[in-house]
Amino acid sequence: MTDTKRPVKIATIGGGSSYTPELVEGFIKRYDSLPVRELWLVDIPEGEEKLKIVGGLAQRMVEAAGLPMEVHLTLDRREALAGADFVTTQFRVGQLDARIKDERISLKHGLIGQETNGAGGMFKALRTIPVIFDIIRDMQELCPDAWLVNFTNPVGIVTEAVLRYTDWDKIIGLCNCPISMRFGIAKWMDVDPSRVRMELSGLNHHFFVTDVFIDGKSCFDEVLERYCELPVEELGTMKNIMAIPWSNRLIRGLRAIPVSYLNYYFSTREELDQLTRDYEAHGVRAEVVKQVEAELFELYKNQDLHVKPKQLEERGGAHYSDAACSVIDSIYNDRGDIQYVDVRNNGAVSNLPEESAIECAAVITADGPKPLAIGELPVPINGTIQMIKTFERMVAEAAVTGNKDLVVAALVANKLCDSDAVANAVVDELMEAHKDYLPQFFNADGTPKDEREAKALTSKVCALA
């Protein structure tokens, strides 16, 4: 253990999340290189009970590790942000009940309602972006030099909104999908993951692996063929996505390996059928997650528990700390290593806007991520990526301006919706269901805001003061 490094203060917004033990474990493992002396776990009054439970486990984990790390629990976000070096965000506006509504209402109308795709992802973004902007306003005042490391979904749309409509550029979006894919490729190729580097082309939950390097040498042809030979159960997928094998013809035609979330777009019928059957049998995915979460918090209450429980992986938290803690460690120590992040494009992908968010391999330095050049997106994957970027930009603009017409147009632009009439019905019902969390669309008394005012704002950049 070293005492020569500058101590670090980290504020975690959404500290009562069931994922928090992953984060704490990551900071404990890295304490010698990343001396986190203050970890502030922040939540809202509705999440206070969970904050106390998971915060208690966090404190026991640190105590068991014998580290001089103070874990503070608070409902006062500004207190936590004051002087922070890094701010991590992992919250859910409206909690899991809001996600349940997204999924149920979408499925009722025959649409996939998953939390980062289609109608569900869109409404999660509409609820989340105003809160992220409020956090950034506080950061500008209380910790203007801090980095915002966001895990709150939908990461791509949130990052897009911050980069496009605020003057805050110290934001990194993170997801555990790229790390999971790197581990998977290493397993297929029978090498240590440290030897593997990937080229990612695309966006959060909508990217493709377009090259693989082992010990710095491209071996993509070999990786593609190995991928095509493996049974689906060995390929790996996220726990909330049905593992549907893509045809070898598709993989070879794309000359790319899609992230598993692309099942929603490449196997839409099959995914929708399965989600509908699950819904009729035992409820939507969010209801399953709610049960898993309840079981986790029962475990967390055990005063003898002082490590992250294995069951957390059932929540989908595998490699969470690897992504979040590694990028913080690399910025703090100016490591110059390569990680997979959501950042401003800055020309890395030549046929996407420079100011837009992309998910890519980047060199992580003390000045932040430097995306590695990709060039022009290959024709076989360009269309689907452009479609989602259009959707992301329209949703981000609607979240800032409160333009309900743009919300409908955005959903129609997404491949997961094939009907203007259905889009209108779903948007109307979800708007009503979530109006308490949509201040850009509704007044405090629940009445709709004047859409003419929203349309007048559509072309304006709403930078934060």
Side-chain angles (χ1 to χ4, degrees), residues 96 99-100 103 239-240 278-279 281-295 314-315:
L96 278 170
R99 178 177 171 182
I100 290 171
E103 295 183 3
K239 290 185 180 295
N240 56 332
D278 290 345
Y279 173 35
H282 53 70
V284 294
R285 169 66 184 173
E287 289 169 297
V288 175
V289 169
K290 194 171 184 178
Q291 179 60 38
V292 171
E293 216 177 57
E295 294 168 359
E314 295 302 313
R315 177 68 177 85

Side-chain angles (χ1 to χ4, degrees), residues 401-403 443 449-458 460:
T401 63
N403 186 339
N443 296 305
K449 287 187 173 178
D450 187 344
E451 289 194 31
R452 289 173 298 178
E453 180 182 352
K455 291 170 189 174
L457 287 171
T458 296
K460 296 182 181 179

Side-chain angles (χ1 to χ4, degrees), residues 51 86 92 98 116 120 127 185 221 291 296 310 318 337 377 381 383 454:
L51 177 65
F86 296 92
R92 184 185 299 278
T116 62
R127 297 191 297 270
I185 291 170
D221 288 334
Q291 179 60 38
L296 279 172
K310 178 74 173 175
D337 57 345
L377 293 169
I381 66 173

